[in-house]
Amino acid sequence: MNRKDFFRDISQLIRDLENTDHSTVARVEERKLGKGKDAPVVKTEYAFHAKAGLPDKEEIRMMINDQQNNERLR
């Protein structure tokens, strides 16, 4: 992904957050490796998620559980 596409996606997230409390921007890029019609194609998918506002009680509980699970794995 080049810089222009990245900044375009981030600016779309910011514009969406002006009207809603969450936003998602997705992009799919396909790149051919080699020449010819039988060359393999690499497909890359990007997804940016953004959320504004304070978390509710359920989200706080999920974050605490995730932190405890991560500490157990260390």
Side-chain angles (χ1 to χ4, degrees), residues 23-39:
S23 178
T24 302
V25 175
R27 176 182 298 276
V28 178
E29 295 179 350
E30 292 184 0
R31 185 176 311 168
K32 190 180 271 191
L33 300 176
K35 297 181 180 178
K37 63 180 180 179
D38 294 333

Side-chain angles (χ1 to χ4, degrees), residues 5-15 25 48:
D5 292 338
F6 174 75
F7 288 118
R8 186 179 300 149
D9 292 345
I10 297 300
S11 64
Q12 181 65 43
L13 281 175
I14 293 169
R15 280 193 305 270
V25 175
F48 297 105

Side-chain angles (χ1 to χ4, degrees), residues 27-71:
R27 176 182 298 276
V28 178
E29 295 179 350
E30 292 184 0
R31 185 176 311 168
K32 190 180 271 191
L33 300 176
K35 297 181 180 178
K37 63 180 180 179
D38 294 333
V41 176
V42 175
K43 184 177 180 181
T44 307
E45 298 180 4
Y46 301 97
F48 297 105
H49 304 282
K51 189 172 183 181
L54 299 174
D56 60 3
K57 290 181 182 180
E58 183 63 31
E59 291 173 334
I60 292 171
R61 195 174 306 124
M62 287 173 46
M63 287 187 289
I64 291 171
N65 288 338
D66 286 344
Q67 288 174 353
Q68 289 173 350
N69 290 338
N70 288 339
E71 289 175 3

